[in-house]
Amino acid sequence: MSEQGVVEAALFSAGKPLAVEEIAQATGLHVEVVRASLEALAKAYDERGSAIEIARIGGKWTMQIRADYGEKAQAFAPPELAKDLLKTSALIAYYQPIKQSDLVRMVGSKAYEHVKALEQLSLITTKPVGQTLELRTGSTFLEFFGLPADDRDELKGILAERAGIASPPAGTEPTPPSAATSVPNAKPEKHV
Amino acid sequence: MSEQGVVEAALFSAGKPLAVEEIAQATGLHVEVVRASLEALAKAYDERGSAIEIARIGGKWTMQIRADYGEKAQAFAPPELAKDLLKTSALIAYYQPIKQSDLVRMVGSKAYEHVKALEQLSLITTKPVGQTLELRTGSTFLEFFGLPADDRDELKGILAERAGIASPPAGTEPTPPSAATSVPNAKPEKHV
Amino acid sequence: MTNYENVLNHLMFHKALLNDHEAGERIGRYLQMVQEIEQGHYLAVRDPMEKAIAAAFELVLEHQFNPWEIDLAAFTKLYLEKVRDDGVVNFVTAGKLVAMAWTILKLQSDELLGRAEPPQQPEAFFSDWDLGLDVYDTPEQFDYTQAILQGRIPLQEAIRREGKRAVTLMELMQAFDEARVEAARQLELAALREKNRATAPKDFGNKVHGEDLNEDLALTWSRILESNGGSIPLAALADHDRWERVTVFVAVLFLAKMEKITLYQENFPYGEIFVKRISSEETLEPVPAHKPAEEVAA
């Protein structure tokens, strides 16, 4: 057994990103040893052109399918997030901060369940605002989608580009479609 | 993207053993290419002393933690079976087919509960024989424990070796205790 | 001495003493011990009864007498009776006695615990082994079984990746495309519904509740139908005023009773109340007019 192997086994079996300290604690290896092993492993996987990569995402390390191979691997593994939840999270990511009541208008009442599920996965955060909740993407959102971005605006930009909409300037939010412009005569909703 | 990489990605994301044909069908690669890739991958992982192995199990291929690293990896992937059940499984696998009554002589009356639990997990099968049950490893046994054995002899060899006992000479089979008298015409079984 | 005997008869387990062949001898021995004690530690205790009890306890504590032969319950009863009769309590003595009784109780429970522990059995293998070597055909079988029973287990569960994969950014984008199209449709529908709600004279109004139960139910039901079967917060069904909230709340109770919906609350008692439709009916059977509301709800 090598120290590098122990770290490799940890990454493989965890199935989620791990902090250096987490690995050190669970394996009994010194933090510096873990860090060096991770870097060596990342390099080794890279050099031999493996379909697997050891990547650092948001301060944590993970073992994952290299992006090029992601599509090929789809046949064997169901995505971690059901399609329905994925759609709702995309809307939240684009319109954030968005009120739950506005989201309900966009996706129907299933929004309530989706918000709960996404919050449990830490993909979004909720904050009570008046009668409703204000929703934003959470800390693990970028990690979850393997995004290199570390701020919400960049994510919005990516989505806006996708939608063929001009990317909103940093700091401004795309207007949620419940605003008077998109739905004439719609009264502001009070319900949660 | 390399063909070998596609196969590697498939194994990584499947999380369970895959048949060569399954991989071929899902990836669009030729069966022979898949087979060659699997063999090359197994060799490559082996040669660089990875904690991960590409192993052939029950006619299928899988990517899993090498046995030496299993214990270290348990911090991140806690085992399902209690140690006691592992002991009983190891005895059944080694002595199969073994009578439940003989197993009780070896491990005591807890054998009854163990047999029930292991049968529920399809790790063993039971067949009434006279007043007792005859026990054999079940359909999921090799896969569950990640044992690269093609037949019962090989399985015994692996178990003996891992338990630190000299492997039996090829062709001879350990007989279950008391079998000499009770099952005089026991034929060697091929199933595992 | 009569006092001591009296106390001893109460304190000792009668069965333990009487069923014992050596009962007479043992009682004699106890009494002798008590007499010795009288000349020792508990001279300071003046009350003869208290002194006798203390002496009996002393038997256990100082002379390794079996703690289970002291009946603490009987002692407690005896002592309480004495306190009640005398009307005076010597707290110093009482404290000493309680401390001693507690120590005895501890001894008793320790012993009980000791008996409750399952006897240490050698691994089943060894008892088999005692039967003779003939149960194993080869030395290897013996070695293998021994290795397993001693914990050298050659099996461990295979560790593989969870069969789930992360969602790709591409999928997020595709989902976004679909979500935008669907959201646009939803928003149109929402606008239509709101228009209907605004124009139709269907607000619950300020009528006396109960007169138009069917109307209340129908309107509440139509709002629930808009939810496509998902759970909706009760609050989302009534967004006008307090009166409407009360009316919807009552209607929802009726609907639950009629098994058209289920109600659940998260985080009792202040959590959000949710309504989930379980009936696929589009329109409700009217509640018979002759049936008072209370009867339907009952």
Side-chain angles (χ1 to χ4, degrees):
Chain A
M1 268 207 300
S2 70
E3 286 164 344
Q4 197 172 305
V6 170
V7 173
E8 190 184 18
L11 284 180
F12 180 82
S13 51
K16 61 171 189 187
L18 296 174
V20 172
E21 294 73 22
E22 269 177 281
I23 302 175
Q25 200 167 20
T27 57
L29 295 174
H30 193 276
V31 168
E32 280 316 311
V33 174
V34 172
R35 207 183 306 276
S37 299
L38 285 165
E39 272 154 22
L41 279 166
K43 199 163 159 241
Y45 272 84
D46 216 37
E47 278 171 358
R48 67 189 176 84
S50 171
I52 298 167
E53 65 180 353
I54 312 282
R56 232 186 98 183
I57 288 172
K60 292 184 172 186
W61 290 79
T62 192
M63 182 184 272
Q64 63 187 20
I65 301 260
R66 209 176 285 278
D68 321 344
Y69 290 94
E71 214 170 317
K72 282 283 178 190
Q74 280 185 13
F76 297 102
E80 215 158 346
L81 208 56
K83 187 74 177 279
D84 242 24
L85 278 177
L86 190 59
K87 287 187 206 167
T88 303
S89 60
L91 289 174
I92 296 172
Y94 180 69
Y95 287 113
Q96 65 180 308
I98 175 173
K99 288 186 182 152
Q100 181 171 258
S101 49
D102 287 334
L103 187 70
V104 171
R105 291 170 53 79
M106 284 194 254
V107 303
S109 61
K110 63 188 175 192
Y112 299 110
E113 275 166 31
H114 288 186
V115 164
K116 252 183 279 171
L118 293 170
E119 195 184 6
Q120 267 185 343
L121 291 165
S122 302
L123 291 177
I124 63 164
T125 61
T126 66
K127 194 176 81 180
V129 170
Q131 298 275 325
T132 187
L133 296 173
E134 194 173 79
L135 316 172
R136 288 168 203 270
T137 52
S139 56
T140 59
F141 193 88
L142 300 168
E143 188 179 272
F144 198 84
F145 293 102
L147 286 177
D150 60 351
D151 70 312
R152 295 174 173 130
D153 288 336
E154 192 164 341
L155 177 62
K156 277 190 197 177
I158 294 171
L159 291 172
E161 213 173 295
R162 171 74 184 187
I165 309 162
S167 174
T172 67
E173 283 102 37
T175 326
S178 74
T181 49
S182 54
V183 185
N185 304 325
K187 284 175 292 179
E189 294 280 294
K190 237 180 23 188
H191 66 251
V192 180
Chain B
M1 270 207 300
S2 70
E3 287 165 343
Q4 197 171 305
V6 171
V7 175
E8 191 184 15
L11 286 179
F12 179 82
S13 55
K16 61 173 188 186
L18 298 173
V20 172
E21 293 73 22
E22 269 179 281
I23 303 175
Q25 200 167 19
T27 58
L29 296 174
H30 194 276
V31 168
E32 280 317 309
V33 173
V34 173
R35 206 185 306 277
S37 299
L38 286 165
E39 271 153 24
L41 279 166
K43 200 164 159 239
Y45 272 83
D46 215 38
E47 276 171 1
R48 66 191 176 84
S50 170
I52 298 166
E53 66 179 356
I54 312 284
R56 213 172 72 111
I57 284 169
K60 294 182 173 188
W61 290 80
T62 192
M63 182 185 275
Q64 63 187 18
I65 295 281
R66 209 176 284 278
D68 316 347
Y69 290 93
E71 214 171 312
K72 282 281 178 191
Q74 281 184 0
F76 298 100
E80 272 175 60
L81 286 192
K83 207 169 163 188
D84 241 24
L85 277 174
L86 287 184
K87 285 186 189 178
T88 303
S89 309
L91 290 171
I92 295 172
Y94 187 79
Y95 285 115
Q96 68 177 311
I98 177 175
K99 285 187 181 157
Q100 182 170 258
S101 51
D102 288 335
L103 187 68
V104 171
R105 295 185 68 199
M106 288 172 150
V107 303
S109 60
K110 62 187 172 192
Y112 298 110
E113 269 172 44
H114 289 186
V115 164
K116 252 183 274 175
L118 294 172
E119 195 186 6
Q120 269 189 338
L121 292 165
S122 302
L123 290 174
I124 62 164
T125 61
T126 66
K127 193 176 86 179
V129 170
Q131 297 279 322
T132 186
L133 295 173
E134 194 173 79
L135 315 174
R136 293 165 201 267
T137 52
S139 56
T140 63
F141 191 89
L142 294 178
E143 192 175 317
F144 189 82
F145 294 111
L147 295 163
D150 278 330
D151 57 35
R152 202 176 59 155
D153 285 350
E154 244 183 285
L155 176 59
K156 276 176 186 157
I158 294 171
L159 294 175
E161 200 190 320
R162 287 197 186 167
I165 310 298
S167 166
T172 66
E173 288 184 22
T175 345
S178 84
T181 48
S182 55
V183 195
N185 295 322
K187 280 175 290 181
E189 306 261 332
K190 242 339 194 194
H191 71 85
V192 184
Chain C
M1 194 47 110
T2 329
N3 254 331
Y4 294 135
E5 276 178 56
N6 194 20
V7 169
L8 277 175
N9 283 337
H10 279 92
L11 297 187
M12 301 302 165
F13 267 138
H14 290 292
K15 269 192 189 168
L17 295 174
L18 297 177
N19 291 346
D20 200 312
H21 291 308
E22 303 163 57
E25 195 186 317
R26 283 172 68 190
I27 290 173
R29 196 152 47 88
Y30 296 154
L31 293 179
Q32 197 191 334
M33 285 157 92
V34 169
Q35 201 164 20
E36 282 163 15
I37 289 164
E38 198 197 357
Q39 291 151 15
H41 271 68
Y42 288 91
L43 275 178
V45 180
R46 292 225 179 94
D47 182 277
M49 167 82 101
E50 285 173 349
K51 189 181 266 187
I53 294 169
F57 284 177
E58 184 82 353
L59 278 178
V60 174
L61 299 178
E62 300 292 327
H63 297 258
Q64 280 83 49
F65 189 64
N66 180 359
W68 278 100
E69 287 194 11
I70 290 287
D71 186 347
L72 284 176
F75 151 74
T76 309
K77 203 169 153 228
L78 209 64
Y79 188 71
L80 286 176
E81 276 166 11
K82 174 190 147 45
V83 168
R84 204 180 304 130
D85 292 347
D86 291 1
V88 186
V89 184
N90 180 338
F91 284 105
V92 176
T93 311
K96 271 183 193 164
L97 291 176
V98 169
M100 291 170 89
W102 183 87
T103 312
I104 290 171
L105 187 64
K106 174 88 170 43
L107 288 171
Q108 287 181 344
S109 53
D110 284 350
E111 199 200 297
L112 200 64
L113 204 64
R115 268 188 276 159
E117 296 282 341
Q120 289 292 315
Q121 273 179 346
E123 282 279 17
F125 168 75
F126 294 107
S127 55
D128 255 17
W129 188 241
D130 292 340
L131 297 173
L133 217 145
D134 59 309
V135 291
Y136 295 101
D137 290 330
T138 64
E140 198 206 343
Q141 290 186 354
F142 166 67
D143 289 343
Y144 179 79
T145 308
Q146 191 177 38
I148 302 302
L149 295 177
Q150 286 174 353
R152 267 188 283 152
I153 308 171
L155 292 176
Q156 62 189 15
E157 292 168 36
I159 298 173
R160 306 193 178 94
R161 286 289 286 219
E162 278 264 300
K164 297 250 172 155
R165 62 173 172 80
V167 184
T168 61
L169 185 55
M170 188 53 73
E171 285 173 297
L172 179 67
M173 306 250 222
Q174 281 164 357
F176 182 51
D177 291 345
E178 286 178 40
R180 278 187 302 128
V181 174
E182 287 171 13
R185 209 182 308 138
Q186 277 284 340
L187 286 168
E188 276 174 38
L189 280 174
L192 272 176
R193 272 199 301 267
E194 271 151 27
K195 209 170 140 197
N196 281 343
R197 256 193 228 181
T199 53
K202 276 187 185 169
D203 276 351
F204 289 110
N206 293 324
K207 60 194 172 337
V208 178
H209 173 68
E211 282 178 5
D212 288 302
L213 176 65
N214 280 319
E215 203 182 314
D216 290 353
L217 289 180
L219 185 53
T220 306
W221 185 242
S222 73
R223 291 188 182 177
I224 291 170
L225 287 179
E226 290 172 5
S227 76
N228 296 325
S231 294
I232 31 176
L234 181 61
L237 291 174
D239 49 9
H240 278 83
D241 55 23
R242 199 186 309 164
W243 179 248
E244 182 175 309
R245 281 198 286 276
V246 171
T247 310
V248 166
F249 182 70
V250 173
V252 153
L253 291 181
F254 273 98
L255 290 169
K257 172 68 186 167
M258 291 156 73
E259 296 181 351
K260 307 292 178 199
I261 58 166
T262 53
L263 289 172
Y264 63 91
Q265 183 176 25
E266 293 196 331
N267 306 323
F268 180 81
Y270 300 114
E272 183 105 64
I273 295 170
F274 283 87
V275 176
K276 189 169 170 59
R277 177 156 66 100
I278 51 175
S279 160
S280 56
E281 291 167 57
E282 288 294 315
T283 47
L284 295 174
E285 285 288 314
V287 177
H290 64 270
K291 230 175 179 179
E294 291 72 28
E295 206 176 298
V296 180

